[in-house]
């Protein structure tokens, strides 16, 4: 089952408009090599909001695709490894991180909290590449959502909660963008209550005798 193209276009349109907004906020569309720390922080917050929106969009598409999945009855050899030559890592995870993702190594016991140091400029290249990867997934999320649908059907059966907190996309990011983000949470809750039976684990082939 393929999701409705009109829904994907409607949801991706607001995300693309928000991506253009965060690029034009500090003149980042001109692709400078370095920006101030304040501009880099605003860009990171915008990318985090865009990733949270994309994560909910992928979840809803995966729940729609899940109704058309068929169980794989083909046995797979345990020691066989798939070729990952054409697999391109984007750094984006559809499933949210678990635990506290915070770097405490920047703090020191002898740190002088009363002194202020001059802020160094931040290189913009890695942040723009991260934004480019998110926009590429927004342009064509069906393939990623299909892989997520197989994972959810095998590993996480039953009702699901929408990933991400409501405060990750604020009202100042855009009325339509924030409203669609909140509506995706409600749609995920309704779709997860009508999920089909799980597919079950992948069948593993029995070990073969290689030598006598």
């Amino acid at each position: 089952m393929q999701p409705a193209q009109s829904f994907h276009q409607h949801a991706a349109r607001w995300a693309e408009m928000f991506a253009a907004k965060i690029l034009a906020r500090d003149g980042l569309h001109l692709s400078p090599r370095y920006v101030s720390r304040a501009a880099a922080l605003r860009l990171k917050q915008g990318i985090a909001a865009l990733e949270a929106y994309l994560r909910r969009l992928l979840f809803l598409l995966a729940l729609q695709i899940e109704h058309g999945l068929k169980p794989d009855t083909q046995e797979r050899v345990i020691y066989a490894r798939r070729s990952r030559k054409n697999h391109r890592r984007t750094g984006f995870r559809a499933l949210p991180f678990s635990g506290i993702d915070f770097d405490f190594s920047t703090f020191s016991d002898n740190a002088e909290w009363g002194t202020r140091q001059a802020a160094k400029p931040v290189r913009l290249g890695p942040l723009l590449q991260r934004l480019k990867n998110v926009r590429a997934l927004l342009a064509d999320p069906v393939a990623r959502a299909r892989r997520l649908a197989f994972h959810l059907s095998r590993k996480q059966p039953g009702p699901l909660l929408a990933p991400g907190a409501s405060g990750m996309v604020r009202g100042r990011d855009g009325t339509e963008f924030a409203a669609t983000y909140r509506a995706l949470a409600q749609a995920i809750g309704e779709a997860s209550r009508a999920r089909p039976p799980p597919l079950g684990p992948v069948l593993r082939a029995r070990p073969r005798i290689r030598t006598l």
Side-chain angles (χ1 to χ4, degrees):
M1 176 181 177
Q2 293 295 331
Q5 187 70 13
S6 59
F7 167 76
H8 163 237
Q9 292 178 352
H10 170 76
R13 179 177 60 182
W14 302 119
E16 191 62 31
M17 292 174 62
F18 177 70
K21 175 183 176 181
I22 61 179
L23 272 178
R25 184 181 303 168
D26 296 294
L28 304 180
H29 61 285
L30 301 176
S31 300
R33 294 189 60 183
Y34 294 93
V35 293
S36 63
R37 294 185 62 181
L41 180 60
R42 286 190 290 267
L43 179 59
K44 289 180 181 179
Q45 292 175 348
I47 294 176
L50 198 61
E51 288 178 344
Y53 183 92
L54 175 60
R55 192 170 287 114
R56 287 191 176 183
L57 177 61
L58 288 175
F59 258 70
L60 185 57
L61 291 176
L63 292 176
Q64 293 179 356
I65 295 174
E66 191 178 14
H67 291 275
L69 299 181
K70 296 181 180 180
D72 188 5
T73 57
Q74 181 182 3
E75 295 183 352
R76 296 180 182 177
V77 184
I78 297 177
Y79 48 81
R81 294 183 178 180
R82 292 183 179 181
S83 176
R84 303 178 65 88
K85 295 181 180 179
N86 299 327
H87 181 69
R88 182 173 60 89
R89 295 186 177 181
T90 60
F92 173 79
R93 295 187 61 180
L95 297 176
F97 292 98
S98 60
I100 301 177
D101 186 12
F102 194 83
D103 185 13
F104 292 94
S105 61
T106 56
F107 294 91
S108 175
D109 296 336
N110 299 324
E112 298 180 1
W113 300 100
T115 60
R116 297 183 61 182
Q117 298 179 356
K120 297 182 180 179
V122 180
R123 196 160 66 93
L124 188 61
L127 293 177
L128 289 181
Q129 184 61 38
R130 181 180 168 189
L131 179 61
K132 181 180 178 181
N133 295 336
V134 176
R135 296 178 73 177
L137 286 175
L138 278 170
D140 187 17
V142 178
R144 187 67 175 268
R146 185 173 180 83
R147 294 198 299 268
L148 179 61
F150 276 103
H151 175 79
L152 294 178
S153 183
R154 289 171 178 156
K155 301 292 185 180
Q156 298 185 9
L160 296 173
L161 295 177
S166 300
M168 299 190 68
V169 176
R170 302 162 296 179
R172 69 181 67 176
D173 296 332
T175 304
E176 297 84 358
F177 183 71
T180 307
Y181 178 76
R182 292 190 295 267
L184 286 173
Q186 183 179 358
I188 289 174
E190 294 177 356
S192 66
R193 289 193 291 268
R195 297 179 64 187
L199 294 178
V202 179
L203 297 179
R204 297 294 187 180
R206 293 174 293 179
R208 296 180 295 178
I209 300 177
R210 304 179 65 89
T211 59
L212 293 177

